[in-house]
Amino acid sequence: IPLSWKSAVINTEKLQHLGKVEMLQLPGLDHAFATIATEAGVVTQRVADAAEQAGFVFAVDPTSAEASCIGGNIAMNAGGKKAVLWGTALDNLASWRMVTPDAQWLEVIRVGHNLGKIHDADIASFELRYFEADGKTPIRQERLDIPGKSFRKEGLGKDVTDKFLSGLPGIQKEGCDGLITSARWILHRMPVHMRTVCLEFFGNAKDAVPSIVEIKDFMFAEHKRTNTVLAGLEHLDDRYLKAVGYATKSKRGGLPKMVLVGDIAGDNADDVARATSEVVRLANSRSGEGFVAISPEARKKFWLDR
């Protein structure tokens, strides 16, 4: 809906091209890595499905995955439950293309991608290539070398207040500096074994919330020790639980004050089982109850229940 008579609404839903998963050697890297190219109007879930069919994982999975589109994911720097492991859209983009307010094309290419969270890189480098309206005639080329830590406020996975984002075009700008038309993403490999935990907390919220940090700290240490990872984590407060009509798994009755749903994954089944048990124990210590799903069907239901 236009904000005023001077507004224009641009719909990119017909930009529907979705490429196949390709192993490409990205600029600045010495080996091939799994990638997928998409246009801006492709629904997020379609990209996730294409990656899964090829044996990979698309890291950007907001709750709106069935409705949101790729262009919006970039413009909003979307995340999702896998952001705890692989970060937001910014961390998973190899390149993207956009139209500027000057009616020029701009292609932004990540150079020397660290294949992980951007704030773990000492320097994040981007090549900016500007073209005339025909999309082919070069105008100029620039390079941005930005300290990785400048993209994130200490302790936050994403700072929604930072629209400038170190001057990087397109990302988290909500369309204010151009129109996203397409992108290429890096994909990841999910470990072989996975369990999903649903943790329901019935005590005071202020007593339950610290468990988020405790679980993350434990799982990050476990990652270093056994390579078992926290592959997804989502927090639901009591207002959200009421809004979605959440049905508790506990026999206590009534709604929990807080729910955490998480994926614990690794290539060793015993390590995954031990880590899952410890996460449940941590929840129990804060008036929480833990429920574990192992089969793909049960795991999917845990996430759908939210």
Side-chain angles (χ1 to χ4, degrees):
I1 301 174
L3 294 178
S4 76
W5 66 270
K6 295 182 180 180
S7 300
V9 176
I10 300 173
N11 189 327
T12 61
E13 288 179 348
K14 290 186 178 181
L15 298 178
Q16 284 287 316
H17 176 73
L18 173 61
K20 295 181 180 179
V21 174
E22 298 178 82
M23 301 298 296
L24 293 181
Q25 186 172 327
L26 300 173
L29 300 185
D30 59 3
H31 62 284
F33 202 78
T35 69
I36 191 167
T38 67
E39 286 192 325
V42 177
V43 173
T44 310
Q45 190 60 49
R46 285 186 60 208
V47 187
D49 292 343
E52 184 177 1
Q53 288 170 11
F56 295 96
V57 178
F58 181 55
V60 182
D61 63 342
T63 307
S64 61
E66 296 281 357
S68 64
C69 296
I70 289 302
N73 288 335
I74 299 172
M76 300 293 290
N77 191 15
K81 64 179 183 291
K82 298 188 186 78
V84 68
L85 179 59
W86 290 309
T88 61
L90 170 63
D91 305 88
N92 293 280
L93 279 162
S95 64
W96 61 99
R97 198 169 169 89
M98 57 192 286
V99 178
T100 73
D102 298 320
Q104 297 174 348
W105 284 95
L106 169 58
E107 187 172 9
V108 184
I109 302 170
R110 178 88 181 266
V111 180
H113 203 302
N114 67 330
L115 306 176
K117 294 179 179 178
I118 198 167
H119 58 269
D120 290 334
D122 292 334
I123 297 292
S125 299
F126 300 87
E127 199 169 88
L128 278 56
R129 300 176 181 175
Y130 290 86
F131 300 88
E132 296 283 8
D134 61 9
K136 299 177 182 178
T137 307
I139 299 176
R140 68 183 187 278
Q141 194 165 309
E142 301 174 15
R143 182 177 171 113
L144 294 177
D145 293 311
I146 305 168
K149 289 186 177 179
S150 68
F151 286 103
R152 299 271 155 78
K153 187 177 287 188
E154 189 70 27
L156 291 182
K158 173 183 170 183
D159 181 3
V160 297
T161 67
D162 182 8
K163 297 303 178 187
F164 182 65
L165 210 65
S166 300
L168 185 63
I171 303 288
Q172 207 159 299
K173 303 296 192 298
E174 301 186 27
C176 291
D177 65 346
L179 180 68
I180 306 292
T181 61
S182 62
R184 182 172 291 276
W185 305 81
I186 64 170
L187 302 176
H188 303 273
R189 187 189 70 84
M190 188 66 81
V192 177
H193 302 282
M194 183 178 297
R195 297 189 178 198
T196 298
V197 292
C198 177
L199 310 173
E200 299 183 345
F201 296 86
F202 290 87
N204 292 323
K206 65 181 179 64
D207 296 326
V209 167
S211 64
I212 301 173
V213 176
E214 292 171 355
I215 290 169
K216 285 180 63 179
D217 288 347
F218 166 72
M219 287 305 307
F220 288 162
E222 199 68 5
H223 184 195
K224 294 179 180 178
R225 192 175 71 85
T226 67
N227 211 32
T228 302
V229 297
L230 185 61
L233 184 66
E234 199 159 294
H235 162 263
L236 315 173
D237 63 17
D238 56 347
R239 291 173 300 176
Y240 181 89
L241 297 173
K242 290 176 184 176
V244 299
Y246 180 81
T248 178
K249 296 172 177 57
S250 171
K251 294 181 179 179
R252 298 190 191 193
L255 278 180
K257 292 294 183 182
M258 182 181 87
V259 170
L260 293 178
V261 183
D263 284 333
I264 298 172
D267 290 325
N268 184 290
D270 292 337
D271 289 339
V272 172
R274 279 193 294 269
T276 303
S277 296
E278 178 60 18
V279 167
V280 171
R281 188 196 68 77
L282 289 171
N284 293 158
S285 69
R286 290 194 174 273
S287 300
E289 291 188 34
F291 305 89
V292 180
I294 300 176
S295 71
E297 296 76 17
R299 289 182 44 247
K300 185 176 182 180
K301 187 175 187 305
F302 270 27
W303 283 109
L304 289 175
D305 285 347
R306 84 198 196 284

